[in-house]
Amino acid sequence: MSNIVQTLTPTTHDLGQFQVRRVLPSRARSMVGPFIFVDQFGPAQLDLGSGMDVRPHPHIDLATVTWLFEGAIDHRDSLGSFSTIRPGQVNLMTAGRGIVHSERSPQEERDSGPKLYGMQTWLALPDGREEIDPAFEAISDLPVIEDGRSKAIVIMGELWGERAATTTHAATIYAEILLQPGGAIPIEDEADERAVMLVGGEARIDGIALKRYELSVLKPGREMTLESAGGARVMLLGGEAFATRRHAWWNFVSSSRERIEQAKQDWREGRFPAVPGDAEEFIPLPEGAPKTVTYP
């Protein structure tokens, strides 16, 4: 009997010089633990002089997590935070009651031809903590577990006996696993919900081959083994199962439809704070966008 209970195939968006693969939310499943949005992008080599430019835009009632395998991204937000995200550094932006941020390729990357390869995820904030104060942290001192032909970086939560310093608002696990040819690592069973995504190479979980960029949701309560004959890069994510439904519209996630409607009005009428150093332009509210979606 397979220990993979569900396999989710991403929707691929071609943005010209690179692709973004969105696997959560999907019609088949909305969340894995607190993770409600999972994008994988790249690998890509952009043209000289070009770059990624995501203009200032708002979020509420969630936390964004950016993790890069290659390249760099300049993050600015309405708290006044500035950080150049690079591989090995986790950027956690907690939107809470509201934050605005932008993401752009640094100038030195544009001059050499930017590389883009990584993960962008959103975590829903738990009941009672959705409207906390916004916050930002960039952490590069993360636990690394190495054992011969396997290596894992604990990005969030506790895994393999090590805990990351990254703030968690609900029980969360998140890790990047690198396997050399012949490498293997156990996948622990403590989390309510867990999933793995193969983002490079080839790998198997308890003998079942993983398909590139698909999200494989694992059976709860069972320890498994992730292994690779030829080498692999795999993301492990999950955590606490949410009992309360979440609604989503554009960049807004909340347990309250009314809160999302208020956020729409606030952005439309300019009541969100500006991003220092990047306030001359912004992404307008998508008028006529699809209705708010409710995720069970």
Side-chain angles (χ1 to χ4, degrees), residues 163-202:
R163 174 172 287 279
T166 317
T167 299
T168 55
H169 301 287
T172 306
I173 58 169
Y174 195 28
E176 178 186 352
I177 301 170
L178 296 165
L179 299 176
Q180 297 180 27
I185 194 169
I187 303 299
E188 301 167 5
D189 61 358
E190 284 84 356
D192 290 347
E193 298 177 341
R194 304 165 296 164
V196 291
M197 177 190 283
L198 176 70
V199 294
E202 62 81 23

Side-chain angles (χ1 to χ4, degrees), residues 96-123:
R97 56 184 166 77
I99 200 168
V100 181
H101 76 134
S102 65
E103 300 160 293
R104 301 181 185 272
S105 295
Q107 188 58 51
E108 62 268 24
E109 288 281 309
R110 298 173 190 269
D111 293 342
S112 61
K115 293 181 179 180
L116 284 176
Y117 186 23
M119 306 289 299
Q120 177 74 56
T121 57
W122 297 354
L123 287 75

Side-chain angles (χ1 to χ4, degrees), residues 14-264:
D14 193 334
L15 302 184
Q17 295 192 58
F18 68 101
Q19 293 183 328
V20 176
R21 303 168 186 89
R22 181 161 302 163
V23 71
L24 280 181
S26 72
R27 290 184 179 180
R29 189 181 187 104
S30 59
M31 298 174 69
V32 176
F35 289 84
I36 195 168
F37 175 100
V38 176
D39 271 5
Q40 188 280 328
F41 53 89
Q45 175 74 61
L46 279 60
D47 294 338
L48 285 172
S50 66
M52 183 182 76
D53 283 293
V54 181
R55 294 169 290 160
H57 58 281
H59 292 286
I60 62 162
D61 292 6
L62 56 82
T64 69
V65 181
T66 307
W67 182 255
L68 294 179
F69 310 131
E70 287 185 306
I73 298 172
D74 278 348
H75 162 97
R76 288 180 171 86
D77 65 43
S78 52
L79 298 175
S81 312
F82 172 78
S83 175
T84 299
I85 313 167
R86 301 187 188 278
Q89 172 187 305
V90 57
N91 267 37
L92 172 71
M93 185 185 75
T94 301
R97 56 184 166 77
I99 200 168
V100 181
H101 76 134
S102 65
E103 300 160 293
R104 301 181 185 272
S105 295
Q107 188 58 51
E108 62 268 24
E109 288 281 309
R110 298 173 190 269
D111 293 342
S112 61
K115 293 181 179 180
L116 284 176
Y117 186 23
M119 306 289 299
Q120 177 74 56
T121 57
W122 297 354
L123 287 75
L125 294 178
D127 293 348
R129 294 187 59 77
E130 291 181 286
E131 293 288 312
I132 60 177
D133 290 342
F136 174 80
E137 61 191 54
I139 298 176
S140 55
D141 185 14
L142 297 168
V144 177
I145 294 91
E146 294 187 84
D147 182 14
R149 297 174 181 171
S150 62
K151 174 183 176 181
I153 304 171
V154 182
I155 302 168
M156 300 182 75
E158 184 174 353
L159 287 160
W160 304 288
E162 298 285 347
R163 174 172 287 279
T166 317
T167 299
T168 55
H169 301 287
T172 306
I173 58 169
Y174 195 28
E176 178 186 352
I177 301 170
L178 296 165
L179 299 176
Q180 297 180 27
I185 194 169
I187 303 299
E188 301 167 5
D189 61 358
E190 284 84 356
D192 290 347
E193 298 177 341
R194 304 165 296 164
V196 291
M197 177 190 283
L198 176 70
V199 294
E202 62 81 23
R204 301 175 304 283
I205 189 103
D206 276 8
I208 304 297
L210 302 177
K211 292 185 179 180
R212 188 82 60 91
Y213 307 126
E214 289 187 346
L215 192 68
S216 298
V217 183
L218 308 180
K219 186 172 292 186
R222 296 196 179 181
E223 187 168 300
M224 307 173 198
T225 300
L226 178 71
E227 58 187 346
S228 176
R233 172 180 271 124
V234 178
M235 300 303 294
L236 168 66
L237 59 88
E240 173 184 343
F242 277 34
T244 307
R245 291 185 174 186
R246 289 296 181 270
H247 311 287
W249 188 90
W250 192 40
N251 298 315
F252 306 138
V253 168
S254 180
S255 61
S256 166
R257 283 180 175 269
E258 292 74 21
R259 180 68 182 91
I260 290 178
E261 291 303 314
Q262 182 63 57
K264 291 181 188 180

